[in-house]
Amino acid sequence: MERRIGANALARLVGPPPERGSAYAWLSDRIERLVADGRLTHDTRLPSERDAAVALGLSRTTVTHAYALLRERGFAEARRGSGTRVRIPGGPVSGGGEPVSGVLGGFDPQGGINLTNTAPAAVGGLAERFAEASRHLAAYTHEGGYFRDGVPDLRDALAERYTARGVPTTPDQILVTTGALAGVAATALALVSPGDAVAVEPSGYPNSLASLRSRGARFVPAVESDDERRLDVRATAETFARRAPKAMLVIPDFHNPTGRFMGEEDRHDLARLWAKHGIVGIVDETLADLWLDVEPRVRPMAAFAPECITVGSASKAYWGGLRLGWVRAPRRYIGAIASARVTLDLGAPVLEQIVLAGLLRDQSGLDDERRAELAGRRILLRDAIARVCPGWSCDLPDGGLSLWWRLPGAQSSEIVRQAALRGLTLTPGSAFSLDGRGLEGRLRTPFTLAEDDLRRAADVLGEVNASLASRT
């Protein structure tokens, strides 16, 4: 499907023309920035010169000169019969998807579709934010550049954010990391010894499970309700009484991969369970801001369990390329976690931290446009796969970035294998299981890609499903 942008939409993105100066140079520069920010993607068809001139209130000659300057700089290309199209000089660089432990084989970026990736494209305006942040960089360059705990401004912004969400926090309770996974790893290194029992949900994010497994943790699975939409706290309590876990890793907000969301009552019950058994809660809030329909009126787990450790990330709401996450912990733990962290890395990059501090203060999570876009892609992919894969079913999640399918049989790895032969990379259900071998009746499909790629992915899954059905 052809990607295009209408004249009115382009006018909203570039804003009003300047009262003084060269209008064609301004328009060319604004479009170039939209390309750099990812708001105009490679091969998008720009509006005709006539339509753009009317929408922008400029002369057609001005728009013609702006488009010509874009072509001269390598940001546009004119094609006979198909107008002017956006170009990224050198072409877009593929292979920037989220690496996931347990994926079978690799991803071929040449024409392939990577449906393992749950990290969306960058938030709009990111290139401009880097330019603005660079003007503040001089304040940090007079020293060596190692800020073990994080740049003070970012720690302040994160503390303010938690306080506003109902969890009073001071900057000394914040540790900035190179992503949520680094936060989980540092926490595990500080608190978990080889052989310790660690409670986990029956399915989980593969990289976090791998990090705990590398510490020699013994997994104690919590118990789900029959419909898998809630944790069965009573049955889980019985398990904990027998196995005595030291800590528990939980994803209460739009759980990856199931999409499960934990309400206030369940959070309260789980916090009481932790307190009763002396369990340290490790809460992964990577997806907390990823609601797609209605913002949940639910307080963070730390509001119910003040002694828990919270891990967050900028990768899903802002951009994975920032490579920034954080740990929010009680003072009794934060020093040990910070000490453990220096055995893993020596701090996060400074410029990116300045950028993230500004993002956190200006917007909380996804902007409205990105939220609506992902909500639509969620439904598009659900309907597209359901149409070509009879017998598959999934619950439509209220947030998060993926669908969790129930398959007609234990065939997840075989689907992944056959899809790879057709240029579609997927993550098998087994990657989300505690032992790496279960959940063969499940498949996760993220909906972060462009709509035409999601349709192509659904078509491939339809072919694979038909091939498997013909064998029975």
Side-chain angles (χ1 to χ4, degrees):
M1 178 178 291
E2 181 182 67
R3 290 192 292 268
R4 62 171 63 203
I5 183 171
N8 291 332
L10 180 64
R12 286 194 298 271
L13 287 174
V14 300
E19 295 182 0
R20 299 177 181 177
S22 171
Y24 83 87
W26 163 82
L27 179 57
S28 175
D29 181 64
R30 291 298 300 166
I31 293 175
E32 184 176 322
R33 290 191 180 192
L34 292 173
V35 176
D37 286 340
R39 286 180 283 182
L40 281 179
T41 57
H42 187 71
D43 210 36
T44 296
R45 182 173 178 174
L46 294 172
S48 69
E49 295 167 1
R50 178 185 302 167
D51 290 346
V54 171
L56 291 163
L58 301 172
S59 71
R60 184 172 178 179
T61 300
T62 296
V63 177
T64 298
H65 286 167
Y67 281 12
L69 185 56
L70 284 170
R71 292 194 296 270
E72 179 182 324
R73 292 175 175 174
F75 283 87
E77 177 184 72
R79 297 181 186 173
R80 185 179 298 275
S82 63
T84 301
R85 294 179 179 273
V86 168
R87 309 301 294 171
I88 294 177
V93 178
S94 299
E98 178 182 15
V100 179
S101 175
V103 174
L104 305 181
F107 168 59
D108 180 7
Q110 303 302 318
I113 306 172
N114 184 0
L115 212 60
T116 69
N117 179 30
T118 57
V123 66
L126 195 61
E128 293 177 354
R129 287 186 177 275
F130 267 94
E132 172 65 22
S134 67
R135 290 193 280 272
H136 299 280
L137 191 60
Y140 299 90
T141 55
H142 65 286
E143 293 183 336
Y146 294 100
F147 291 85
R148 185 199 69 168
D149 298 335
V151 166
D153 190 40
L154 178 54
R155 297 172 73 202
D156 288 343
L158 288 164
E160 292 166 7
R161 187 167 182 261
Y162 277 108
T163 300
R165 294 174 64 204
V167 182
T169 302
T170 54
D172 63 338
Q173 292 179 264
I174 300 292
L175 175 68
V176 179
T177 64
T178 53
L181 181 61
V184 171
T187 301
L189 190 59
L191 303 182
V192 178
S193 299
D196 280 348
V198 175
V200 290
E201 294 166 279
S203 58
Y205 179 54
N207 293 342
S208 293
L209 295 177
S211 179
L212 290 172
R213 198 178 290 116
S214 70
R215 283 295 299 155
R218 296 182 294 109
F219 289 150
V220 176
V223 181
E224 289 176 332
S225 61
D226 291 340
D227 63 5
E228 301 177 350
R229 296 182 183 180
R230 299 179 66 179
L231 290 181
D232 187 331
V233 176
R234 178 175 296 181
T236 297
E238 295 173 358
T239 299
F240 287 0
R242 296 193 308 270
R243 302 286 298 277
K246 184 174 185 178
M248 180 176 182
L249 175 66
V250 64
I251 307 175
D253 307 283
F254 313 116
H255 177 269
N256 184 10
T258 68
R260 177 173 55 237
F261 188 86
M262 193 176 291
E264 288 230 345
E265 182 180 350
D266 289 339
R267 293 175 193 233
H268 175 74
D269 291 345
L270 185 59
R272 289 183 62 186
L273 182 61
W274 288 347
K276 179 179 179 180
H277 293 278
I279 297 169
V280 180
I282 305 172
V283 182
D284 185 344
E285 283 194 334
T286 299
L287 300 172
D289 292 322
L290 273 293
W291 56 272
L292 299 178
D293 297 313
V294 178
E295 183 176 4
R297 299 300 180 185
V298 177
R299 290 172 293 168
M301 272 300 303
F304 301 89
E307 292 301 301
C308 79
I309 296 164
T310 303
V311 177
S313 172
S315 64
K316 304 302 191 282
Y318 302 112
W319 188 41
L322 289 172
R323 298 309 316 124
L324 291 175
W326 55 87
V327 174
R328 185 263 176 206
R331 292 181 182 85
R332 63 181 294 193
Y333 295 127
I334 195 68
I337 297 172
S339 296
R341 181 265 182 85
V342 297
T343 69
L344 303 173
D345 65 67
L346 300 180
V350 172
L351 183 62
E352 282 78 356
Q353 292 187 66
I354 300 172
V355 169
L356 181 56
L359 283 167
L360 287 168
R361 289 197 169 103
D362 291 346
Q363 66 181 67
S364 177
L366 301 173
D367 58 39
D368 292 342
E369 182 179 357
R370 177 60 59 84
R371 205 178 300 277
E373 180 181 80
L374 289 170
R377 291 178 182 179
R378 169 195 52 170
I379 295 173
L380 181 154
L381 184 61
R382 189 272 310 269
D383 292 347
I385 293 178
R387 187 165 49 249
V388 297
C389 296
W392 292 31
S393 65
C394 72
D395 299 317
L396 193 68
D398 296 326
L401 296 167
S402 60
L403 304 174
W404 186 235
W405 292 92
R406 303 178 190 89
L407 306 176
Q411 52 192 194
S412 182
S413 292
E414 181 60 19
I415 289 172
V416 170
R417 189 188 69 81
Q418 289 207 27
L421 297 175
R422 295 168 169 83
L424 172 62
T425 307
L426 294 158
T427 308
S430 58
F432 303 93
S433 67
L434 304 187
D435 60 3
R437 294 190 295 273
L439 298 175
E440 276 296 310
R442 294 295 194 144
L443 187 70
R444 187 191 73 165
T445 58
F447 45 79
T448 55
L449 299 182
E451 292 185 0
D452 54 345
D453 287 330
L454 294 178
R455 292 189 182 95
R456 288 169 55 204
D459 289 342
V460 171
L461 288 172
E463 294 175 11
V464 171
N465 189 59
S467 173
L468 293 174
S470 68
R471 298 179 183 181
T472 60

